[in-house]
mmCIF file of all heavy atoms in Angstrom:
data_model
loop_
_atom_site.group_PDB
_atom_site.id
_atom_site.type_symbol
_atom_site.label_atom_id
_atom_site.label_comp_id
_atom_site.label_asym_id
_atom_site.label_seq_id
_atom_site.Cartn_x
_atom_site.Cartn_y
_atom_site.Cartn_z
ATOM 1 N N ALA A 172 146.960 149.414 204.396
ATOM 2 C CA ALA A 172 147.719 148.362 205.062
ATOM 3 C C ALA A 172 148.960 149.000 205.680
ATOM 4 O O ALA A 172 149.530 149.956 205.133
ATOM 5 C CB ALA A 172 148.117 147.300 204.046
ATOM 6 N N ASP A 173 149.379 148.449 206.814
ATOM 7 C CA ASP A 173 150.548 149.010 207.495
ATOM 8 C C ASP A 173 151.780 149.020 206.591
ATOM 9 O O ASP A 173 152.610 149.927 206.675
ATOM 10 C CB ASP A 173 150.844 148.196 208.756
ATOM 11 C CG ASP A 173 149.830 148.440 209.856
ATOM 12 O OD1 ASP A 173 149.098 149.455 209.782
ATOM 13 O OD2 ASP A 173 149.751 147.610 210.777
ATOM 14 N N SER A 174 151.877 148.037 205.731
ATOM 15 C CA SER A 174 153.067 147.890 204.894
ATOM 16 C C SER A 174 153.209 149.003 203.850
ATOM 17 O O SER A 174 154.297 149.181 203.297
ATOM 18 C CB SER A 174 153.056 146.539 204.189
ATOM 19 O OG SER A 174 151.885 146.410 203.391
ATOM 20 N N VAL A 175 152.131 149.729 203.583
ATOM 21 C CA VAL A 175 152.193 150.770 202.545
ATOM 22 C C VAL A 175 151.931 152.169 203.080
ATOM 23 O O VAL A 175 152.020 153.143 202.324
ATOM 24 C CB VAL A 175 151.219 150.472 201.378
ATOM 25 C CG1 VAL A 175 151.452 149.069 200.835
ATOM 26 C CG2 VAL A 175 149.769 150.662 201.802
ATOM 27 N N LYS A 176 151.614 152.282 204.355
ATOM 28 C CA LYS A 176 151.325 153.597 204.934
ATOM 29 C C LYS A 176 152.500 154.543 204.745
ATOM 30 O O LYS A 176 153.654 154.172 204.974
ATOM 31 C CB LYS A 176 151.007 153.451 206.417
ATOM 32 C CG LYS A 176 149.597 152.999 206.710
ATOM 33 C CD LYS A 176 149.348 152.897 208.215
ATOM 34 C CE LYS A 176 147.944 152.384 208.493
ATOM 35 N NZ LYS A 176 147.721 152.179 209.947
ATOM 36 N N GLY A 177 152.188 155.756 204.324
ATOM 37 C CA GLY A 177 153.221 156.752 204.099
ATOM 38 C C GLY A 177 153.864 156.679 202.727
ATOM 39 O O GLY A 177 154.613 157.582 202.351
ATOM 40 N N ARG A 178 153.605 155.610 201.990
ATOM 41 C CA ARG A 178 154.200 155.449 200.652
ATOM 42 C C ARG A 178 153.135 155.444 199.552
ATOM 43 O O ARG A 178 153.384 155.923 198.444
ATOM 44 C CB ARG A 178 154.993 154.148 200.577
ATOM 45 C CG ARG A 178 156.125 154.056 201.574
ATOM 46 C CD ARG A 178 157.001 152.835 201.316
ATOM 47 N NE ARG A 178 156.264 151.579 201.450
ATOM 48 C CZ ARG A 178 156.131 150.682 200.484
ATOM 49 N NH1 ARG A 178 156.674 150.893 199.304
ATOM 50 N NH2 ARG A 178 155.461 149.554 200.692
ATOM 51 N N PHE A 179 151.976 154.867 199.841
ATOM 52 C CA PHE A 179 150.908 154.755 198.842
ATOM 53 C C PHE A 179 149.779 155.723 199.200
ATOM 54 O O PHE A 179 149.492 155.958 200.382
ATOM 55 C CB PHE A 179 150.338 153.340 198.816
ATOM 56 C CG PHE A 179 151.248 152.295 198.246
ATOM 57 C CD1 PHE A 179 152.592 152.540 197.995
ATOM 58 C CD2 PHE A 179 150.753 151.028 197.959
ATOM 59 C CE1 PHE A 179 153.418 151.562 197.474
ATOM 60 C CE2 PHE A 179 151.570 150.031 197.429
ATOM 61 C CZ PHE A 179 152.904 150.305 197.195
ATOM 62 N N THR A 180 149.115 156.218 198.160
ATOM 63 C CA THR A 180 147.959 157.083 198.352
ATOM 64 C C THR A 180 146.843 156.641 197.422
ATOM 65 O O THR A 180 147.046 156.552 196.204
ATOM 66 C CB THR A 180 148.300 158.548 198.069
ATOM 67 O OG1 THR A 180 149.372 158.966 198.929
ATOM 68 C CG2 THR A 180 147.078 159.432 198.310
ATOM 69 N N ILE A 181 145.686 156.370 197.998
ATOM 70 C CA ILE A 181 144.508 156.034 197.205
ATOM 71 C C ILE A 181 143.680 157.298 197.035
ATOM 72 O O ILE A 181 143.546 158.113 197.960
ATOM 73 C CB ILE A 181 143.684 154.903 197.863
ATOM 74 C CG1 ILE A 181 142.588 154.414 196.920
ATOM 75 C CG2 ILE A 181 143.131 155.321 199.221
ATOM 76 C CD1 ILE A 181 141.881 153.142 197.416
ATOM 77 N N SER A 182 143.140 157.479 195.842
ATOM 78 C CA SER A 182 142.302 158.648 195.575
ATOM 79 C C SER A 182 141.234 158.266 194.560
ATOM 80 O O SER A 182 141.304 157.194 193.944
ATOM 81 C CB SER A 182 143.143 159.815 195.061
ATOM 82 O OG SER A 182 143.775 159.489 193.838
ATOM 83 N N ARG A 183 140.268 159.138 194.411
ATOM 84 C CA ARG A 183 139.190 158.847 193.483
ATOM 85 C C ARG A 183 138.795 160.112 192.734
ATOM 86 O O ARG A 183 138.921 161.218 193.254
ATOM 87 C CB ARG A 183 137.981 158.267 194.215
ATOM 88 C CG ARG A 183 137.346 159.184 195.233
ATOM 89 C CD ARG A 183 136.332 158.419 196.111
ATOM 90 N NE ARG A 183 135.253 157.883 195.291
ATOM 91 C CZ ARG A 183 134.561 156.792 195.616
ATOM 92 N NH1 ARG A 183 134.832 156.133 196.731
ATOM 93 N NH2 ARG A 183 133.578 156.374 194.837
ATOM 94 N N ASP A 184 138.300 159.922 191.530
ATOM 95 C CA ASP A 184 137.763 161.010 190.728
ATOM 96 C C ASP A 184 136.366 160.591 190.298
ATOM 97 O O ASP A 184 136.209 159.782 189.372
ATOM 98 C CB ASP A 184 138.663 161.270 189.515
ATOM 99 C CG ASP A 184 138.237 162.505 188.742
ATOM 100 O OD1 ASP A 184 137.038 162.861 188.796
ATOM 101 O OD2 ASP A 184 139.100 163.105 188.079
ATOM 102 N N ASN A 185 135.379 161.129 190.968
ATOM 103 C CA ASN A 185 134.002 160.725 190.684
ATOM 104 C C ASN A 185 133.548 161.164 189.294
ATOM 105 O O ASN A 185 132.650 160.552 188.711
ATOM 106 C CB ASN A 185 133.066 161.277 191.745
ATOM 107 C CG ASN A 185 133.252 160.611 193.094
ATOM 108 O OD1 ASN A 185 133.829 159.517 193.202
ATOM 109 N ND2 ASN A 185 132.791 161.265 194.142
ATOM 110 N N ALA A 186 134.151 162.206 188.770
ATOM 111 C CA ALA A 186 133.777 162.656 187.427
ATOM 112 C C ALA A 186 134.191 161.653 186.361
ATOM 113 O O ALA A 186 133.560 161.562 185.300
ATOM 114 C CB ALA A 186 134.401 164.006 187.144
ATOM 115 N N TRP A 187 135.248 160.912 186.651
ATOM 116 C CA TRP A 187 135.773 159.939 185.689
ATOM 117 C C TRP A 187 135.528 158.502 186.133
ATOM 118 O O TRP A 187 136.021 157.572 185.480
ATOM 119 C CB TRP A 187 137.269 160.167 185.471
ATOM 120 C CG TRP A 187 137.530 161.393 184.664
ATOM 121 C CD1 TRP A 187 137.855 162.638 185.130
ATOM 122 C CD2 TRP A 187 137.476 161.496 183.241
ATOM 123 N NE1 TRP A 187 138.012 163.511 184.079
ATOM 124 C CE2 TRP A 187 137.791 162.838 182.905
ATOM 125 C CE3 TRP A 187 137.210 160.596 182.208
ATOM 126 C CZ2 TRP A 187 137.827 163.291 181.589
ATOM 127 C CZ3 TRP A 187 137.255 161.046 180.893
ATOM 128 C CH2 TRP A 187 137.557 162.385 180.607
ATOM 129 N N ASN A 188 134.799 158.317 187.229
ATOM 130 C CA ASN A 188 134.503 156.971 187.727
ATOM 131 C C ASN A 188 135.774 156.135 187.893
ATOM 132 O O ASN A 188 135.796 154.933 187.565
ATOM 133 C CB ASN A 188 133.540 156.245 186.779
ATOM 134 C CG ASN A 188 132.197 156.932 186.687
ATOM 135 O OD1 ASN A 188 131.761 157.590 187.636
ATOM 136 N ND2 ASN A 188 131.544 156.803 185.546
ATOM 137 N N THR A 189 136.794 156.779 188.392
ATOM 138 C CA THR A 189 138.111 156.142 188.438
ATOM 139 C C THR A 189 138.723 156.255 189.834
ATOM 140 O O THR A 189 138.608 157.308 190.483
ATOM 141 C CB THR A 189 139.045 156.798 187.400
ATOM 142 O OG1 THR A 189 138.487 156.627 186.090
ATOM 143 C CG2 THR A 189 140.428 156.166 187.439
ATOM 144 N N VAL A 190 139.359 155.192 190.245
ATOM 145 C CA VAL A 190 140.111 155.182 191.491
ATOM 146 C C VAL A 190 141.587 154.993 191.142
ATOM 147 O O VAL A 190 141.919 154.286 190.184
ATOM 148 C CB VAL A 190 139.612 154.096 192.457
ATOM 149 C CG1 VAL A 190 139.731 152.701 191.856
ATOM 150 C CG2 VAL A 190 140.310 154.180 193.809
ATOM 151 N N TYR A 191 142.433 155.646 191.919
ATOM 152 C CA TYR A 191 143.869 155.622 191.654
ATOM 153 C C TYR A 191 144.631 155.072 192.856
ATOM 154 O O TYR A 191 144.155 155.140 193.986
ATOM 155 C CB TYR A 191 144.373 157.039 191.364
ATOM 156 C CG TYR A 191 143.682 157.712 190.215
ATOM 157 C CD1 TYR A 191 142.637 158.603 190.440
ATOM 158 C CD2 TYR A 191 144.075 157.461 188.902
ATOM 159 C CE1 TYR A 191 141.997 159.231 189.385
ATOM 160 C CE2 TYR A 191 143.435 158.085 187.842
ATOM 161 C CZ TYR A 191 142.397 158.967 188.091
ATOM 162 O OH TYR A 191 141.765 159.576 187.039
ATOM 163 N N LEU A 192 145.818 154.588 192.578
ATOM 164 C CA LEU A 192 146.743 154.222 193.643
ATOM 165 C C LEU A 192 148.114 154.770 193.256
ATOM 166 O O LEU A 192 148.748 154.266 192.334
ATOM 167 C CB LEU A 192 146.811 152.709 193.838
ATOM 168 C CG LEU A 192 147.638 152.259 195.039
ATOM 169 C CD1 LEU A 192 146.951 152.666 196.347
ATOM 170 C CD2 LEU A 192 147.849 150.737 195.024
ATOM 171 N N GLN A 193 148.510 155.826 193.936
ATOM 172 C CA GLN A 193 149.830 156.387 193.737
ATOM 173 C C GLN A 193 150.802 155.644 194.645
ATOM 174 O O GLN A 193 150.605 155.620 195.867
ATOM 175 C CB GLN A 193 149.844 157.878 194.064
ATOM 176 C CG GLN A 193 151.203 158.535 193.953
ATOM 177 C CD GLN A 193 151.713 158.577 192.523
ATOM 178 O OE1 GLN A 193 150.970 158.873 191.601
ATOM 179 N NE2 GLN A 193 152.998 158.260 192.343
ATOM 180 N N MET A 194 151.820 155.054 194.056
ATOM 181 C CA MET A 194 152.771 154.234 194.807
ATOM 182 C C MET A 194 154.150 154.868 194.705
ATOM 183 O O MET A 194 154.710 154.963 193.606
ATOM 184 C CB MET A 194 152.786 152.814 194.252
ATOM 185 C CG MET A 194 151.410 152.165 194.211
ATOM 186 S SD MET A 194 151.461 150.428 193.722
ATOM 187 C CE MET A 194 152.052 150.577 192.046
ATOM 188 N N ASN A 195 154.658 155.310 195.820
ATOM 189 C CA ASN A 195 155.977 155.930 195.879
ATOM 190 C C ASN A 195 156.923 155.076 196.724
ATOM 191 O O ASN A 195 156.478 154.204 197.470
ATOM 192 C CB ASN A 195 155.884 157.326 196.482
ATOM 193 C CG ASN A 195 155.014 158.271 195.671
ATOM 194 O OD1 ASN A 195 154.934 158.150 194.442
ATOM 195 N ND2 ASN A 195 154.356 159.193 196.342
ATOM 196 N N SER A 196 158.196 155.355 196.590
ATOM 197 C CA SER A 196 159.219 154.639 197.364
ATOM 198 C C SER A 196 159.000 153.136 197.287
ATOM 199 O O SER A 196 159.008 152.429 198.303
ATOM 200 C CB SER A 196 159.192 155.098 198.826
ATOM 201 O OG SER A 196 159.395 156.492 198.920
ATOM 202 N N LEU A 197 158.813 152.664 196.087
ATOM 203 C CA LEU A 197 158.504 151.240 195.907
ATOM 204 C C LEU A 197 159.641 150.351 196.370
ATOM 205 O O LEU A 197 160.825 150.668 196.191
ATOM 206 C CB LEU A 197 158.156 150.970 194.448
ATOM 207 C CG LEU A 197 156.733 151.406 194.056
ATOM 208 C CD1 LEU A 197 156.599 151.568 192.557
ATOM 209 C CD2 LEU A 197 155.717 150.411 194.592
ATOM 210 N N LYS A 198 159.248 149.221 196.945
ATOM 211 C CA LYS A 198 160.188 148.243 197.473
ATOM 212 C C LYS A 198 160.040 146.933 196.696
ATOM 213 O O LYS A 198 159.012 146.689 196.056
ATOM 214 C CB LYS A 198 159.918 147.990 198.953
ATOM 215 C CG LYS A 198 159.952 149.229 199.827
ATOM 216 C CD LYS A 198 159.589 148.871 201.262
ATOM 217 C CE LYS A 198 159.625 150.102 202.157
ATOM 218 N NZ LYS A 198 159.266 149.767 203.558
ATOM 219 N N LEU A 199 161.063 146.105 196.796
ATOM 220 C CA LEU A 199 160.994 144.809 196.117
ATOM 221 C C LEU A 199 159.745 144.030 196.528
ATOM 222 O O LEU A 199 159.119 143.354 195.699
ATOM 223 C CB LEU A 199 162.250 143.995 196.437
ATOM 224 C CG LEU A 199 163.573 144.557 195.957
ATOM 225 C CD1 LEU A 199 164.718 143.634 196.377
ATOM 226 C CD2 LEU A 199 163.584 144.748 194.453
ATOM 227 N N GLU A 200 159.393 144.147 197.793
ATOM 228 C CA GLU A 200 158.252 143.383 198.305
ATOM 229 C C GLU A 200 156.901 143.935 197.845
ATOM 230 O O GLU A 200 155.861 143.346 198.153
ATOM 231 C CB GLU A 200 158.296 143.307 199.838
ATOM 232 C CG GLU A 200 158.415 144.639 200.545
ATOM 233 C CD GLU A 200 159.866 144.980 200.896
ATOM 234 O OE1 GLU A 200 160.772 144.717 200.073
ATOM 235 O OE2 GLU A 200 160.068 145.523 201.992
ATOM 236 N N ASP A 201 156.895 145.022 197.118
ATOM 237 C CA ASP A 201 155.655 145.524 196.525
ATOM 238 C C ASP A 201 155.338 144.824 195.207
ATOM 239 O O ASP A 201 154.270 145.046 194.624
ATOM 240 C CB ASP A 201 155.744 147.033 196.286
ATOM 241 C CG ASP A 201 155.837 147.831 197.573
ATOM 242 O OD1 ASP A 201 155.137 147.477 198.532
ATOM 243 O OD2 ASP A 201 156.625 148.791 197.605
ATOM 244 N N THR A 202 156.249 144.002 194.731
ATOM 245 C CA THR A 202 156.008 143.254 193.507
ATOM 246 C C THR A 202 154.789 142.364 193.672
ATOM 247 O O THR A 202 154.720 141.552 194.603
ATOM 248 C CB THR A 202 157.234 142.410 193.140
ATOM 249 O OG1 THR A 202 158.325 143.276 192.812
ATOM 250 C CG2 THR A 202 156.939 141.492 191.966
ATOM 251 N N ALA A 203 153.812 142.531 192.781
ATOM 252 C CA ALA A 203 152.549 141.790 192.898
ATOM 253 C C ALA A 203 151.656 142.138 191.716
ATOM 254 O O ALA A 203 151.924 143.089 190.974
ATOM 255 C CB ALA A 203 151.835 142.142 194.198
ATOM 256 N N ASP A 204 150.599 141.364 191.608
ATOM 257 C CA ASP A 204 149.482 141.759 190.745
ATOM 258 C C ASP A 204 148.529 142.586 191.601
ATOM 259 O O ASP A 204 148.165 142.171 192.701
ATOM 260 C CB ASP A 204 148.765 140.536 190.184
ATOM 261 C CG ASP A 204 149.624 139.772 189.192
ATOM 262 O OD1 ASP A 204 150.393 140.420 188.458
ATOM 263 O OD2 ASP A 204 149.516 138.537 189.156
ATOM 264 N N TYR A 205 148.134 143.734 191.081
ATOM 265 C CA TYR A 205 147.265 144.648 191.815
ATOM 266 C C TYR A 205 145.866 144.650 191.185
ATOM 267 O O TYR A 205 145.736 144.730 189.960
ATOM 268 C CB TYR A 205 147.859 146.057 191.793
ATOM 269 C CG TYR A 205 149.031 146.217 192.726
ATOM 270 C CD1 TYR A 205 150.265 145.645 192.426
ATOM 271 C CD2 TYR A 205 148.907 146.912 193.919
ATOM 272 C CE1 TYR A 205 151.343 145.762 193.288
ATOM 273 C CE2 TYR A 205 149.983 147.043 194.789
ATOM 274 C CZ TYR A 205 151.188 146.465 194.469
ATOM 275 O OH TYR A 205 152.251 146.599 195.334
ATOM 276 N N TYR A 206 144.871 144.580 192.052
ATOM 277 C CA TYR A 206 143.483 144.487 191.621
ATOM 278 C C TYR A 206 142.649 145.573 192.300
ATOM 279 O O TYR A 206 142.816 145.816 193.499
ATOM 280 C CB TYR A 206 142.889 143.139 192.008
ATOM 281 C CG TYR A 206 143.614 141.947 191.450
ATOM 282 C CD1 TYR A 206 144.699 141.392 192.116
ATOM 283 C CD2 TYR A 206 143.198 141.353 190.260
ATOM 284 C CE1 TYR A 206 145.370 140.284 191.613
ATOM 285 C CE2 TYR A 206 143.856 140.243 189.749
ATOM 286 C CZ TYR A 206 144.935 139.720 190.428
ATOM 287 O OH TYR A 206 145.593 138.631 189.917
ATOM 288 N N CYS A 207 141.737 146.159 191.552
ATOM 289 C CA CYS A 207 140.755 147.006 192.219
ATOM 290 C C CYS A 207 139.486 146.201 192.437
ATOM 291 O O CYS A 207 139.219 145.214 191.738
ATOM 292 C CB CYS A 207 140.488 148.295 191.455
ATOM 293 S SG CYS A 207 139.685 148.117 189.880
ATOM 294 N N GLN A 208 138.750 146.610 193.431
ATOM 295 C CA GLN A 208 137.579 145.846 193.874
ATOM 296 C C GLN A 208 136.504 146.792 194.374
ATOM 297 O O GLN A 208 136.784 147.845 194.947
ATOM 298 C CB GLN A 208 137.994 144.889 194.996
ATOM 299 C CG GLN A 208 136.898 143.987 195.530
ATOM 300 C CD GLN A 208 136.096 144.594 196.670
ATOM 301 O OE1 GLN A 208 136.563 145.488 197.363
ATOM 302 N NE2 GLN A 208 134.885 144.125 196.859
#
């Protein structure tokens, strides 16, 4: 999403069947419930 470009990074580890979201430079407007899908 444009609102997170340059601050968030999505990655995956297929060995662990896991997806990650690294969130940097967090802003007040990032407050939310986060869901993977």
Side-chain angles (χ1 to χ4, degrees):
D173 288 343
S174 58
V175 307
K176 280 181 182 176
R178 300 188 298 121
F179 289 12
T180 302
I181 189 171
S182 62
R183 62 192 298 152
D184 187 334
N185 290 342
W187 287 97
N188 297 331
T189 299
V190 60
Y191 303 98
L192 187 68
Q193 177 67 43
M194 305 186 295
N195 299 329
S196 302
L197 282 160
K198 304 177 180 180
L199 296 179
E200 53 264 40
D201 294 320
T202 294
D204 292 325
Y205 285 73
Y206 302 87
C207 67
Q208 182 271 337

